Amino acid sequence: MFKKIFWTQINADDVACHCESAAGGRGNPRSVARADRLVAISRLLHFVRNDQMYRLYVSVKICVPWVCLVLILSFGRVVLAEEESFNLGEIVVTATKTPHFLKDVPGNVTIVTKEEIERVGAADVGEALEKVGGIKIKDYGAMGAVTDISIRGSTSSQVLVLVDGRPTALPSLGMTNLNFYPVDNIERIEVVRGPYSSLYGADALGGVVNIITRDAPEKPTTEFDLSYGTFNTQIYRMSQGAKKGKLGYFVTAGKNKSDGDRENSACDGRHFTTKLSYDFNEATKLNLSLGYLYQSLDVPGSTTWLSPNAHQDDEKEWVDLTYNLRLGERSDIMAKLFFNRHFSEYKDPDIFSDSETNINQVGLELQQNLSLNEMNLLTYGASYKRDEVEVDDKINNISMIGGGKELSTIGIYLQDEIKFEALPLTLVPGVRYDAPSDYEERVSPKLSALYKLGEKTNIRASVGQAYRAPTVDDLYWYEDWGWGMGAYGNPDLKPEKSTSWDLGVEHQFNQKVLARATYFRSEIEDLITWAETPAGSWCYVATNVDKALIQGVEAESKFQFTPEIFASLSYTYTDAKNKGETCYDKYLRYRPKDKVDCTIGYENEKGFKASVGVEYIGSTYSDQDNTETNRLDGYALLSARISKSIGKYAEVYLVGKNLTDEEYQVYRDYPMPGVSVTGGIKVKF
């Protein structure tokens, strides 16, 4: 299991920051001998900041011209191609749990297609989402390192990540490691921003990411993708699918391997997925998805707490059975049954650490969509999920959570899509009730609206409440260091709660350009923090003490200047501040104010493709007091991809990342890789 222990949210300044670095990376030193833990803590109190003003200057110098260029083209009277660059006809299901064209969705949604994933040369879901407005992907290093997601300034545990509607977060940590999910079986990724506990229950506080996998192709299709790059990085992938009568299948297999960019950072993994479908008739369909993933990782640790001999093994398995039945023209039913298993073992002989995590999840969901008339579309359903968690210290032969834990949640939800044709206005009120076994019951209401101001302008607004459930670690963690010191969960914790609203406008300037901007605001209370209780005791207890106010603006646009030349631009401003008593009005840790993404590309009919992208991330603080010594400077990353078709079936490509060899850190004391180049060949027939 990737590492995130109690350290991730402790209030005590430098200890919190450094321990998060040691805990949040590729390792899992949950079980450290008492004396070694105290020695490590004393070492963590020393930190020296390296001046990076020159790199910040270079970052801005690279980024600003790109931004200015696209802004000028966006609002100038330029001659553009005839086809639309922003496809409003794509189908979206995540925002309302019902299929809609993107232009008719009342929520703030972005779709990342498999073509766009290929265009940026993404190897996993984290890389595929890096350039989406409102999203910050945070990782600890190269291949194999933990990769998590923030939406609108949220924590990673406040974002719900789904695969075909199946939840993926580990109940022990409350988050999903996006590095675990390769892109070879992905059809599209739907990103829905804002609170969605009214439909999905716990953890949909910042938003929802739904990874939609590929269905069986109508014609037999086989694809091979082989690549080699910097750090001896090797990726081999194969997929094959077909549809024969009523039966369809799509299979993927892959292997990834890398020596890593740091000492003891090698990675070796493999995965296998299968998606079977059977169409009983035009109204009835059954899907079965199976998957297996294994990753063997060396764990380098932070630069202030090196772990030169640490190693971790992760293993995931999943089964997802989904049944869809259409009852006439006005109703359809969906039933889903899923099972997730996760096993992880972390070893570090230098600190006598050997921990093992076993997680089993079983879930069931029933949903019906019912069109009452031309005006009302009801969506209602019920879900059940049970988690079984064990976290054991094998050195001392004890459980770190007081024995195996079983948690369960029952939820029911109701939503009505009300379409007023005469206005034209769509209102979507919804509410969900959740009854968990280990914390208080929750009711989560929400109201969304879409108003079409003519043919080219849409106004969207929403207001709702959402929550993040306490994790198993938050509730039951037990680690005694002796002498009254330690870290302890709190079974009396309440969920984190938010009240959020947003207001946005979307305008299609012509048939080729569409732009949109959204203001968002979220007030969060009962944030779970590992507070030192009492102060100065080195005894940390999970507590509901903090509050936060997060507000900002998202803006994005896409263009097709000619049939061959395209571009995209997004900007996100996030003002995320602590409203708790101890660090009032300080910026939340690791939340950059500014994020700019710009891409320009070229494609022609002869199979040549090229794209260049710049991403700028503003400075962040790694401590709650926002001290200058704990400030991480902003940075800009330059990336590029070039490909050329060879004949009818093959394509060669070259992908470059961090081409200016920028030295930067997303998390303090975890240096990110420098320039990397990967070349490969793809064969499809």
Side-chain angles (χ1 to χ4, degrees), residues 94-97 196-201 365 379 413 415 432 444:
T94 308
T96 59
K97 286 198 172 186
Y196 273 87
S197 291
S198 59
L199 273 179
Y200 294 97
E365 181 175 7
T379 298
Y413 54 89
Q415 174 185 270
R432 178 173 172 128
S444 305

Side-chain angles (χ1 to χ4, degrees), residues 653-674:
Y653 59 87
L654 192 66
V655 179
K657 299 178 181 179
N658 192 10
L659 292 175
T660 57
D661 204 22
E662 181 83 357
E663 295 182 14
Y664 70 103
Q665 296 179 6
V666 178
Y667 286 103
R668 196 178 71 183
D669 299 335
Y670 278 86
M672 296 297 292

Side-chain angles (χ1 to χ4, degrees), residues 188-325:
R188 68 183 187 277
I189 304 174
E190 298 182 5
V191 178
V192 185
R193 305 170 186 85
Y196 273 87
S197 291
S198 59
L199 273 179
Y200 294 97
D203 307 332
L205 189 149
V208 179
V209 175
N210 193 7
I211 303 166
I212 309 297
T213 60
R214 295 169 64 178
D215 290 325
E218 291 296 329
K219 297 181 179 180
T221 303
T222 302
E223 186 173 322
F224 294 93
D225 192 337
L226 314 175
S227 66
Y228 179 84
T230 311
F231 315 125
N232 193 31
T233 300
Q234 305 164 50
I235 301 177
Y236 311 105
R237 293 173 179 161
M238 183 277 293
S239 65
Q240 210 279 329
K243 201 164 186 180
K244 298 181 180 180
K246 296 183 177 182
L247 178 65
Y249 70 93
F250 187 75
V251 178
T252 70
K255 178 175 176 57
N256 58 282
K257 184 178 181 181
S258 178
D259 292 342
D261 63 313
R262 300 175 55 197
E263 181 183 356
N264 197 47
S265 63
C267 173
D268 191 355
R270 56 186 180 269
H271 71 271
F272 174 82
T273 69
T274 299
K275 189 172 186 179
L276 304 174
S277 63
Y278 188 81
D279 299 333
F280 294 93
N281 49 53
E282 292 185 357
T284 309
K285 184 175 182 178
L286 184 68
N287 282 329
L288 174 63
S289 296
L290 309 168
Y292 172 83
L293 179 143
Y294 172 78
Q295 290 273 28
S296 177
L297 311 171
D298 290 334
V299 184
S302 69
T303 55
T304 53
W305 189 4
L306 295 171
S307 52
N309 297 299
H311 185 80
Q312 177 172 313
D313 291 311
D314 289 282
E315 192 174 49
K316 299 178 77 70
E317 298 172 354
W318 62 90
V319 179
D320 184 341
L321 183 65
T322 304
Y323 177 77
N324 291 282
L325 172 64

Side-chain angles (χ1 to χ4, degrees), residues 24-162:
R26 301 173 59 161
N28 189 351
R30 269 184 161 158
S31 308
V32 179
R34 183 183 309 159
D36 293 310
R37 177 76 82 183
L38 297 177
V39 172
I41 290 173
S42 67
R43 293 176 58 196
L44 298 178
L45 295 175
H46 301 283
F47 174 76
V48 179
R49 176 177 176 262
N50 292 323
D51 191 354
Q52 299 180 343
M53 293 304 296
Y54 174 73
R55 286 191 293 272
L56 179 59
Y57 164 75
V58 174
S59 300
V60 175
K61 185 177 180 181
I62 294 172
C63 190
V64 168
W66 282 87
V67 175
C68 293
L69 171 65
V70 178
L71 283 174
I72 291 170
L73 293 175
S74 173
F75 297 102
R77 295 181 177 275
V78 295
V79 179
L80 300 172
E82 290 302 320
E83 59 267 20
E84 294 183 9
S85 64
F86 201 92
N87 186 359
L88 301 180
E90 293 177 298
I91 299 296
V92 180
V93 297
T94 308
T96 59
K97 286 198 172 186
T98 54
H100 287 286
F101 291 125
L102 182 59
K103 63 184 177 66
D104 297 326
V105 174
N108 190 301
V109 181
T110 294
I111 296 177
V112 181
T113 65
K114 64 177 183 293
E115 290 81 14
E116 291 172 317
I117 293 172
E118 179 181 300
R119 184 179 295 165
V120 299
D124 56 50
V125 171
E127 293 183 357
L129 296 176
E130 283 179 338
K131 298 187 181 301
V132 176
I135 282 183
K136 177 68 180 76
I137 298 298
K138 299 182 289 185
D139 45 16
Y140 288 83
M143 178 183 290
V146 172
T147 303
D148 55 42
I149 183 174
S150 170
I151 298 180
R152 292 181 172 176
S154 72
T155 64
S156 57
S157 58
Q158 293 170 347
V159 177
L160 182 64
V161 179
L162 309 171

Side-chain angles (χ1 to χ4, degrees), residues 571-596:
Y571 171 71
T572 304
Y573 172 80
T574 306
D575 184 57
K577 289 189 174 180
N578 193 328
K579 296 300 179 179
E581 296 180 0
T582 55
C583 299
Y584 182 80
D585 225 27
K586 299 292 185 179
Y587 290 107
L588 298 179
R589 299 164 54 218
Y590 297 116
R591 268 72 156 201
K593 271 184 154 185
D594 301 297
K595 177 178 182 281
V596 181

Side-chain angles (χ1 to χ4, degrees), residues 6 400-402 470-480 486-493 528-531 539-543:
F6 51 88
M400 303 303 295
I401 56 173
T471 68
V472 170
D473 286 5
D474 294 334
L475 294 167
Y476 302 113
W477 188 262
Y478 185 90
E479 187 166 2
D480 187 354
Y488 307 97
N490 180 0
D492 296 323
L493 284 174
I528 298 172
T529 300
W530 289 80
C539 178
Y540 297 93
V541 179
T543 313

